[in-house]
Amino acid sequence: MKIRTLRLTITTFSPDMAQAVYENSQDDDTRRFVPDEVYDSVEEAREAIAFLMSRYDSTDGPFVYPVLTNEGQNIGYVQLCNLELEEEGTWEIGYHIAKNFTGKGYATEAVKAFLPVMVQNHNLKEVYGICLAENTASLRVLEKCGFTQIYQGRGKKTKSSKQSGKITTKITTFDTLFL
């Protein structure tokens, strides 16, 4: 898969991206908001990439794709993870842009390009954006991408969550497509 925008390219992972993935995982925001995506070494990042690459041909994901500047610099990722709820076709959108590249609209640009392609390719029925209420940058990305807040409070555990029982204080759904 390759999606191009004015400033970004969303593509598949390759093993040679391990150093950038490791480095992008080391900032304080990653440690605070997505601690299960912090890698302790380049080798650990390489193993994660191998797993993610193995999921591209699956039907249940996760589907994680690196976000590169059009100059080729790896600045983060966008992803869809199956929430494995009672209703099939319910997914969560996720994204992370390395601290050095935040505040430039890259996450919004990536999500706006990625989500319609994935909805079409995988016949998704419902997509949620889930983040901590204190992660105001992520909330703004979701709002700019057409998500509407439908819940605030303690989240529920799902099979696909690596952080079982984490507090989820904002849940939104992509109303442009689904409400």
Side-chain angles (χ1 to χ4, degrees), residues 85-141:
L85 301 174
E86 290 176 18
E87 301 152 18
E88 286 188 35
T90 303
W91 295 76
E92 176 187 358
I93 185 78
Y95 41 87
H96 173 71
I97 300 297
K99 186 71 171 174
N100 292 343
F101 299 93
T102 59
K104 298 175 172 70
Y106 289 134
T108 301
E109 187 173 332
V111 169
K112 282 182 174 182
F114 177 73
L115 195 52
V117 171
M118 296 303 284
V119 165
Q120 181 177 353
N121 289 352
H122 295 282
N123 195 28
L124 307 181
K125 295 181 177 126
E126 197 164 37
V127 177
Y128 288 84
I130 303 172
C131 67
L132 296 172
E134 64 195 68
N135 190 347
T136 56
S138 189
L139 290 172
R140 282 193 310 274
V141 168

Side-chain angles (χ1 to χ4, degrees), residues 13 17-27 30-31 37-46 48-49 74 96 98:
F13 273 111
M17 294 179 178
Q19 181 68 40
V21 168
Y22 166 74
E23 290 172 5
N24 288 346
S25 81
Q26 298 302 302
D27 66 62
T30 305
R31 293 179 186 284
E37 296 172 11
V38 174
Y39 303 106
D40 293 328
S41 66
V42 174
E43 184 56 35
E44 190 176 322
R46 188 173 287 110
I49 288 170
N74 186 319
H96 173 71

Side-chain angles (χ1 to χ4, degrees), residues 164-177:
S164 294
K166 82 173 185 180
I167 304 296
T168 302
T169 55
K170 294 279 186 181
I171 301 178
T172 58
T173 187
F174 197 76
D175 71 340
T176 304
L177 293 174

Side-chain angles (χ1 to χ4, degrees), residues 14-78:
S14 61
D16 64 340
M17 294 179 178
Q19 181 68 40
V21 168
Y22 166 74
E23 290 172 5
N24 288 346
S25 81
Q26 298 302 302
D27 66 62
D28 290 338
D29 283 348
T30 305
R31 293 179 186 284
R32 182 174 171 199
F33 297 123
V34 283
D36 61 330
E37 296 172 11
V38 174
Y39 303 106
D40 293 328
S41 66
V42 174
E43 184 56 35
E44 190 176 322
R46 188 173 287 110
E47 291 170 11
I49 288 170
F51 169 75
L52 296 172
M53 290 171 59
S54 77
R55 305 307 301 156
Y56 288 144
D57 292 327
S58 74
T59 58
D60 60 348
F63 302 115
V64 184
Y65 294 86
V67 175
L68 313 175
T69 63
N70 282 338
E71 292 76 36
Q73 186 163 11
N74 186 319
I75 63 169
Y77 64 84
V78 289

